[in-house]
Amino acid sequence: RDGIGTMASAQYRSGSIDPSIQLFLSADPDDFLDKASTLDQLSGQQVEALKKIQEKQRELAQERQEATDKLEDLASTRTELGKKKKEVQGKLADAQKLLNSLTAQERAALQADQARASRDSMRDALGGSTVPASGRAGAAYGVAQSKVGSPYVYGASGPSSFDCSGLTSWAYAQVGVGIPRTSEAQANAGTRIYSTSGLKVGDLVFFFNDLHHVGLYAGNGQVLHAPRPGTVVRYESMSTIGGPFMFGVRV
């Protein structure tokens, strides 16, 4: 643009006299014709430069539109995530109110039931014939076992308290494997396994259609996980999670 503008300004200052009149008035026709040929070449270069500018402008316009569309998508996603976060926080508040309304005796009975269910699930997991996954999945599972009994705290990722994806990401991190923090992102952290018969100990297992819950497969239809507020890290049958099993992921 700068180059073409400079040349256009020079042409404006020269007055742009008709070429035939310039030839008639020229004291040296040969010299004029040589200059005219040079100017013709420069005009051709200007045309090419203008074409390039037009192409670049079209490309920029397209990229600007794509960027605008992506920004709109991001804004929509951010709004949706904000709504989901408020929904989750509301449910957590309701759950906490319910827990606070329990008497000491009711809390003790609930904890006893949960501990008994966890022991039963652990016995089922360890008593079967499932072969633990070798390598990092088995190692991550072994680390997670040391956290049985740790309290569930929403947003916590160890070492003393956890939410569901906080436990799985922490366990894998302890054996040198980095996986995303949220359950939705962890669903894309490895190879998916859609059949429970194909699962091995230490595989990530996901529940509910929106994949908001994840745990570690413990073998024989059991999962080691951090369930929800008011509970602790424990073993549980996959059939009692409260939502459908979607698939497993082998990291």
Side-chain angles (χ1 to χ4, degrees):
R1 279 177 173 171
D2 290 342
I4 291 175
T6 300
M7 193 169 292
S9 298
Q11 290 177 355
Y12 175 78
R13 288 193 299 270
S14 69
S16 299
I17 301 173
D18 184 87
S20 61
I21 297 177
Q22 292 184 45
L23 177 59
F24 178 75
L25 296 175
S26 175
D28 187 348
D30 290 335
D31 180 60
F32 172 78
L33 291 172
D34 289 341
K35 290 180 179 178
S37 176
T38 301
L39 285 172
D40 185 58
Q41 292 177 6
L42 290 173
S43 297
Q45 293 175 2
Q46 283 181 290
V47 170
E48 289 300 318
L50 285 170
K51 287 182 179 178
K52 289 181 179 179
I53 287 177
Q54 290 174 334
E55 290 175 1
K56 289 296 181 183
Q57 286 177 328
R58 284 194 294 268
E59 291 176 7
L60 287 170
Q62 182 177 352
E63 290 175 359
R64 188 178 292 111
Q65 184 59 51
E66 291 175 355
T68 300
D69 293 342
K70 288 180 179 179
L71 284 172
E72 290 177 355
D73 289 342
L74 285 171
S76 177
T77 300
R78 189 178 293 112
T79 300
E80 185 64 25
L81 288 175
K83 290 179 181 178
K84 287 187 176 181
K85 182 177 181 180
K86 288 182 179 179
E87 182 181 347
V88 168
Q89 290 174 335
K91 290 181 178 180
L92 287 172
D94 291 341
Q96 192 61 52
K97 288 180 181 178
L98 179 60
L99 288 172
N100 292 340
S101 68
L102 297 177
T103 65
Q105 184 177 1
E106 289 172 333
R107 288 187 183 186
L110 178 61
Q111 291 173 354
D113 287 342
Q114 291 176 348
R116 181 168 56 254
S118 181
R119 288 194 299 271
D120 292 344
S121 292
M122 180 176 64
R123 184 186 63 246
D124 292 339
L126 300 178
S129 58
T130 300
V131 179
S134 60
R136 53 193 186 182
Y141 172 75
V143 171
Q145 285 182 299
S146 69
K147 294 301 176 180
V148 169
S150 298
Y152 177 103
V153 174
Y154 178 70
S157 50
S160 58
S161 59
F162 304 87
D163 63 10
C164 67
S165 56
L167 174 65
T168 52
S169 59
W170 178 85
Y172 270 92
Q174 304 315 298
V175 297
V177 180
I179 61 175
R181 173 61 180 82
T182 65
S183 59
E184 293 86 350
Q186 288 178 14
N188 298 311
T191 303
R192 292 189 178 184
I193 303 158
Y194 291 93
S195 172
T196 55
S197 62
L199 294 172
K200 291 185 177 181
V201 171
D203 288 340
L204 300 173
V205 282
F206 296 85
F207 301 87
F208 300 93
N209 292 330
D210 60 359
L211 307 177
H212 74 259
H213 188 65
V214 62
L216 294 164
Y217 187 61
N220 298 298
Q222 309 299 314
V223 62
L224 176 59
H225 68 150
R228 56 188 174 276
T231 65
V232 297
V233 175
R234 69 189 190 194
Y235 294 90
E236 187 171 352
S237 171
M238 292 171 64
S239 63
T240 63
I241 296 298
F245 165 73
M246 303 308 295
F247 51 79
V249 167
R250 184 159 300 149
V251 179

